[in-house]
Structures are given as structure tokens and as C-alpha cells.
Amino acid sequence: MTKRIDGKAAALDVRQQVAKGVEAFRKQTGRAPGLAVVLVGDDPASTVYVGSKGKATLEAGMESFTHRLPADTTQDELLSLVERLNDDSKVDGILVQLPLPDQIDADAVLDAIDPAKDVDGFHILNAGKLAVGQQALVPCTPYGCLHLLKHEHDDLSGKHALVIGRSNIVGKPMAQLLLGENATVTIAHSRTRDLQALAREADIVVAAVGRAEMVKGDWIKPGATVIDVGINRLPPEEGKSKGKLVGDVAYDEAAENAGAITPVPGGVGPMTIAMLLRNTLVAAHQREELEAPAI
Ligand code: GUN
């Protein structure tokens, strides 16, 4: 029987552990950890994500600072807000929601964030530390995927993992994390030849390409673990205003072969915010030179 991996339950567990950690941190330091989230413009999906992040931050007992800036914000204006947040002692974590409008150089903004407050793990210093195997703040979505994988496998050592997608947000850090667990890692992307053959060899498939149901059921090796990072909306069926949300994997087909698989929604999605809260708690401890709880 294929196991449906319950990301909602796993995320709730992490969030409860974070809330306990926040309480202990408050007792030790007399203050709550603080997370600042910056949204530029009014992209509908980003607006929803930023709202959810603020709500979850408060639910964990942390301080939440949300900054909503107009779509025509200049790079200098955004950089000066980042400077202020870097200097604000109540702020332990800073997240600038991506994508940013065209007039802004996202790399310059991400690299202006104090690496000690970079709870997204996108700063070049944290990306570099992850790449060379040093302790770093790790991007939330791949870290959430690793958390789910470790729940399924006591040991990832020697497993053949296929990561489909090479983005800086998911694919590359995911591959680094799996290497850190001694998995044998293949990174596939739009120019990869015979992706199906690679998938059929993989004990673990992480799909992060943003193409609806691209990974077919017969690509999956019997018993493999499948982690689906995609969130894609299909065109609406007749009479409906909204299309169905699907992942990058054709779930029903893949579930016939997989040993365990994440659904969409309710798989990886909830883990991203849980790991953001975890990273903020860790950053707060490190800034106070305290030992962070292992979550
Ligand atoms: N946009 C989509 N995913 C993310 C994320 O994990 N962090 C930020 N900052 N923006 C995103």
C-alpha cells in the first residue's frame, strides 16, 4: 500500500515544537523572536503567502512585522528598508517575498540582508555554507522536503535521489541537502535527456519544475519515495470558476508505484512556513548566542 505523506500533520508538529522553543526563548531573554516579511506590489499568490506567514508567526508566539510596499518601489527604497530591518534589534529574521518587480535587482536585495537574519537562506553566504557543508540557514522548502524524507527513511545514505529542477530556491539547495545525507544525487532540468530513464532508477524523486503533472506514474520505480514541490492550477472545468490545484507529479498514477508520496495540496506546501518559523527561532538563538533547540 502506498503511503500518503501527511505534510499538514508534519508541519503542525514542527510548529508546535517551535512554539515551545519560542516560550523558552522568551523566558531566557525577556523577548519574543521577531520575523519581518516584505512584500513589494500586489501579486495575488504572494499576497496570500505573506498573509499566511504573518498569521503563522503570531500563532507561534513570535512578533510579526509585515511591510507592504507599492509595486513602483525603487531598489534604493527597498534597500533602505532592508538596512533598517538589519539594524532593528527586535527583528531576528527577514524575508523579502519573491518575485520582485522588474525594476528591482533581486540578487542585490537578497545579498543586502544580514546573513544572520537570512531566514530564507538565499544570501550568497548561506548558499555557500550549505554548498561546502557548513552550518547555515537553509531555504525553507527544500529543508521541509528533507524533513519529510527523513521521516520516511532512517538513513538516506547511498540512496539514489533525482531532483528535477535546478532553481536557487528549491532544486540546488535540495541537491546539497541530499548530498549532505550521503545520497547519490542527480539533478535534472529542462535540457536533461531521457528523464524517464533517470526517474526509473531513483529511490527518491523530488519534483520542482512548475509543470502540471509532468512526472508520469510509470516513471516511478516501485517503492520509491516521491516528493512533489509543484503547485499548479489547471484550467477550470466547465461551470467552475477555478481550476484544480495539482503538483508536478501525476498523483493518482504515481501513487500506484510509489512507496510513499506527498499530495498537492497538503504535502510540501505546509512545510515551507513551518521551516520558516524554525529558521527564525534558530536565528534568534544564534543572535543571542544561545543554543537553539534541535527541530
Ligand atoms: N517565493 C516563492 N517561494 C518563496 C520563498 O520560499 N521565499 C521567498 N522569499 N519568496 C518566495
Side-chain angles (χ1 to χ4, degrees):
M1 252 300 267
T2 300
K3 182 180 166 199
R4 186 179 196 272
I5 299 173
D6 188 347
K8 255 190 182 170
L12 186 64
D13 180 55
V14 170
R15 285 169 64 164
Q16 284 170 344
Q17 290 185 58
V18 170
K20 279 190 196 147
V22 167
E23 202 40 52
F25 180 86
R26 198 197 280 274
K27 282 196 183 122
Q28 276 178 292
T29 64
R31 71 176 187 94
L35 173 62
V37 175
V38 181
L39 172 66
V40 184
D42 48 14
D43 174 78
S46 293
T47 304
V48 172
Y49 290 143
V50 165
S52 307
K53 285 168 185 173
K55 187 163 166 270
T57 306
L58 294 174
E59 281 172 9
M62 297 185 187
E63 275 209 84
S64 168
F65 311 97
T66 303
H67 296 264
R68 292 184 173 84
L69 305 182
D72 62 358
T73 298
T74 64
Q75 172 143 339
D76 283 348
E77 285 166 338
L78 182 55
L79 286 173
S80 69
L81 172 59
V82 168
E83 279 294 294
R84 270 194 283 133
L85 297 173
N86 282 344
D87 292 341
D88 186 338
S89 61
K90 289 204 294 197
V91 172
D92 297 289
I94 302 170
L95 180 148
V96 178
Q97 185 68 26
L98 302 176
L100 286 166
D102 289 346
Q103 74 273 17
I104 294 174
D105 174 356
D107 287 338
V109 173
L110 297 179
D111 288 339
I113 294 172
D114 178 349
K117 297 188 177 188
D118 171 38
V119 286
D120 251 335
F122 294 164
H123 190 285
I124 202 88
L125 190 77
N126 282 312
K129 282 185 174 180
L130 176 63
V132 297
Q134 287 182 22
Q135 217 221 332
L137 286 165
V138 175
C140 305
T141 300
Y143 205 32
C145 294
L146 184 70
H147 187 91
L148 295 177
L149 281 169
K150 283 179 131 180
H151 200 73
E152 298 305 313
H153 298 271
D154 292 336
D155 188 6
L156 294 166
S157 174
K159 302 254 186 236
H160 186 184
L162 174 67
V163 178
I164 311 176
R166 57 174 156 180
S167 70
N168 292 335
I169 295 182
V170 185
K172 284 183 200 149
M174 186 75 246
Q176 304 287 6
L177 286 168
L178 287 161
L179 268 181
E181 297 294 326
N182 301 310
T184 302
V185 183
T186 302
I187 307 177
H189 46 78
S190 53
R191 307 283 173 92
T192 296
R193 293 193 198 132
D194 207 355
L195 181 56
Q196 305 176 37
L198 291 173
R200 286 197 188 106
E201 296 289 311
D203 304 305
I204 291 163
V205 175
V206 180
V209 267
R211 284 179 57 189
E213 300 179 322
M214 188 194 87
V215 177
K216 306 299 177 199
D218 63 356
W219 297 16
I220 303 299
K221 178 164 118 172
T225 303
V226 179
I227 305 288
D228 190 352
V229 182
I231 304 177
N232 313 286
R233 201 172 279 285
L234 293 179
E237 286 170 32
E238 232 181 80
K240 299 244 171 89
S241 63
K242 268 188 176 178
K244 194 177 155 204
L245 273 188
V246 297
D248 292 347
V249 179
Y251 181 88
D252 290 342
E253 296 171 21
E256 285 180 21
N257 281 339
I261 182 167
T262 57
V264 175
V268 172
M271 292 305 293
T272 299
I273 290 186
M275 293 330 236
L276 173 66
L277 301 176
R278 179 263 176 208
N279 280 354
T280 305
L281 182 67
V282 169
H285 279 80
Q286 287 173 349
R287 291 186 62 241
E288 298 285 352
E289 295 182 357
L290 295 168
E291 194 174 336
I295 302 173

Short mmCIF file of all heavy atoms in Angstrom, two decimals, residues 53 95-99 120 122 141 169 272, ligand 1:
data_model
loop_
_atom_site.label_atom_id
_atom_site.label_comp_id
_atom_site.label_asym_id
_atom_site.label_seq_id
_atom_site.Cartn_x
_atom_site.Cartn_y
_atom_site.Cartn_z
N LYS A 53 2.14 33.77 6.27
CA LYS A 53 3.39 33.80 7.05
C LYS A 53 3.21 34.65 8.30
O LYS A 53 3.62 34.27 9.39
CB LYS A 53 4.55 34.33 6.18
CG LYS A 53 5.03 33.30 5.17
CD LYS A 53 5.96 33.87 4.11
CE LYS A 53 6.29 32.80 3.08
NZ LYS A 53 7.03 33.28 1.91
N LEU A 95 12.49 38.30 5.55
CA LEU A 95 12.14 37.60 4.31
C LEU A 95 11.57 38.62 3.33
O LEU A 95 10.63 39.32 3.67
CB LEU A 95 11.10 36.52 4.62
CG LEU A 95 10.61 35.68 3.45
CD1 LEU A 95 10.27 34.27 3.92
CD2 LEU A 95 9.39 36.29 2.77
N VAL A 96 12.20 38.72 2.17
CA VAL A 96 11.66 39.57 1.10
C VAL A 96 10.99 38.62 0.10
O VAL A 96 11.66 37.78 -0.51
CB VAL A 96 12.77 40.39 0.42
CG1 VAL A 96 12.19 41.22 -0.72
CG2 VAL A 96 13.47 41.30 1.44
N GLN A 97 9.68 38.75 -0.01
CA GLN A 97 8.93 37.81 -0.85
C GLN A 97 9.32 37.97 -2.32
O GLN A 97 9.39 39.08 -2.85
CB GLN A 97 7.42 38.05 -0.66
CG GLN A 97 6.52 37.07 -1.37
CD GLN A 97 6.58 35.66 -0.80
OE1 GLN A 97 6.88 35.45 0.37
NE2 GLN A 97 6.29 34.67 -1.62
N LEU A 98 9.58 36.86 -2.97
CA LEU A 98 9.89 36.83 -4.41
C LEU A 98 8.66 36.34 -5.18
O LEU A 98 7.86 35.61 -4.60
CB LEU A 98 11.07 35.88 -4.67
CG LEU A 98 12.37 36.23 -3.93
CD1 LEU A 98 13.41 35.16 -4.19
CD2 LEU A 98 12.89 37.60 -4.32
N PRO A 99 8.45 36.69 -6.41
CA PRO A 99 9.32 37.52 -7.25
C PRO A 99 9.17 39.01 -6.92
O PRO A 99 8.13 39.43 -6.39
CB PRO A 99 8.81 37.22 -8.66
CG PRO A 99 7.37 36.84 -8.49
CD PRO A 99 7.28 36.17 -7.16
N ASP A 120 15.41 32.93 4.89
CA ASP A 120 15.13 32.25 3.62
C ASP A 120 16.32 31.42 3.16
O ASP A 120 16.19 30.57 2.28
CB ASP A 120 14.86 33.30 2.53
CG ASP A 120 13.41 33.37 2.09
OD1 ASP A 120 12.71 32.36 2.25
OD2 ASP A 120 13.02 34.43 1.59
N PHE A 122 18.74 32.51 1.34
CA PHE A 122 19.04 32.85 -0.06
C PHE A 122 20.30 33.71 -0.19
O PHE A 122 20.77 33.94 -1.30
CB PHE A 122 17.87 33.62 -0.70
CG PHE A 122 16.60 32.82 -0.87
CD1 PHE A 122 15.39 33.46 -1.12
CD2 PHE A 122 16.61 31.43 -0.80
CE1 PHE A 122 14.22 32.74 -1.29
CE2 PHE A 122 15.43 30.70 -0.97
CZ PHE A 122 14.24 31.36 -1.20
N THR A 141 11.76 25.57 1.75
CA THR A 141 11.03 24.50 1.04
C THR A 141 11.88 23.22 0.94
O THR A 141 11.40 22.14 1.33
CB THR A 141 10.55 24.98 -0.35
OG1 THR A 141 9.67 26.10 -0.14
CG2 THR A 141 9.82 23.89 -1.10
N ILE A 169 16.02 28.40 -5.32
CA ILE A 169 15.10 28.33 -4.17
C ILE A 169 14.87 26.88 -3.74
O ILE A 169 14.75 26.59 -2.56
CB ILE A 169 13.74 29.01 -4.53
CG1 ILE A 169 13.95 30.51 -4.75
CG2 ILE A 169 12.69 28.77 -3.48
CD1 ILE A 169 12.68 31.28 -5.05
N THR A 272 6.80 24.57 4.24
CA THR A 272 7.62 25.76 3.97
C THR A 272 7.49 26.77 5.12
O THR A 272 8.49 27.26 5.65
CB THR A 272 7.22 26.40 2.62
OG1 THR A 272 7.45 25.43 1.60
CG2 THR A 272 8.05 27.63 2.32
N1 GUN B 1 8.51 32.96 -3.40
C1 GUN B 1 8.21 31.65 -3.57
N2 GUN B 1 8.78 30.89 -2.60
C2 GUN B 1 9.47 31.75 -1.81
C3 GUN B 1 10.25 31.57 -0.65
O1 GUN B 1 10.46 30.46 -0.14
N3 GUN B 1 10.79 32.71 -0.12
C4 GUN B 1 10.59 33.93 -0.68
N4 GUN B 1 11.18 34.97 -0.10
N5 GUN B 1 9.86 34.13 -1.76
C5 GUN B 1 9.30 33.05 -2.32
#
